[in-house]
Amino acid sequence: MKRIAALIAATATLLWPATLVEAEVVSRSLVTKIPAYPQRIVSINPCADALLMQLADKGQIASVSHYSHDKRATSISLKLALQFPATSGTAEEILAMRPDLVVAGSHVAIPTARALQRLGIPLVKLSIPQSVAESQEQIGILSEIVGAPARGKQLNRSISEAFVKAQPTDGQLVPALIWRSGGLVPGDGTLPDELLRRTGFENVSKSYGLKQWDILPLEHLVARPPRLLFSNGREIAGEAQRDRMLSHPVIKKLSHRITISHYPAKLLHCAGPTLIEAVTTLSAARRMLRKHS
């Protein structure tokens, strides 16, 4: 139970919104002016890393977050991430990079924020978007901040086009569930829920009585299995660490009623350019299922 509680708490830090109404997708320090064209941007958030790779010039990026140097946590290609130094987000590391702009997630360590304010280094904080519209708004704002509004518009066009391509041609909703290793499920009102709906699925998490982010017990899944289960269980290497739910004998017996499709964990961490891969993955799984039904 302690492990499950810790898993929920960790995911809440990454994914739960501070508010669901009129969310502030980008906040910035009011006392420090941001340069019109920042030349040394330090990112301390993996989702910010992914956005900056699309919006900023390579020469503008002084460093990325240490998460992007970890193949299990990065939201960009590891090969690309390793072209940049990485920091863990401490004030000492950040200041050593001599930034003229720091981009972070919504939570920044108080000593780090105070050090940046004291030295007059502007800090931009990105929230976790809770809808596609919020994500595209965030892209537009950040692209203006880094001096590349045209790239922001192009990225938003690419995201919109990906959703058009992923839209199903039939009106049938396929019962589905996104299940992260350990049993964590995104529910009604989350960004993954919107992605499911817009690619022709019915997110059945609500039928289990689950909250926005909740743990799904195996017994509930077995009692009412969805037609398609998206999971990152394949990413867990080694027999000892193999996903217990997906390897359970009961799940194997239900193979005629439930299809398991791979959905990388990184697609749950960020919005922005990750949305393109996410809806492409969901749409491809649906087409494959319909083809063999």
Side-chain angles (χ1 to χ4, degrees), residues 11-30:
T11 302
T13 301
L14 285 172
L15 300 169
W16 284 357
T19 175
L20 294 175
V21 181
E22 297 181 354
E24 185 179 30
V25 294
V26 177
S27 61
R28 63 199 92 184
S29 50
L30 300 177

Side-chain angles (χ1 to χ4, degrees), residues 198-215:
R198 292 182 63 173
T199 51
F201 294 99
E202 176 193 2
N203 185 2
V204 297
S205 67
K206 196 172 184 179
S207 68
Y208 297 107
L210 301 181
K211 301 175 183 178
Q212 278 196 329
W213 290 93
D214 214 339
I215 296 295

Side-chain angles (χ1 to χ4, degrees), residues 236-244 247 252:
I236 302 176
E239 187 72 19
Q241 297 180 348
R242 188 174 58 180
D243 190 286
R244 292 182 179 181
S247 61
K252 293 181 179 180

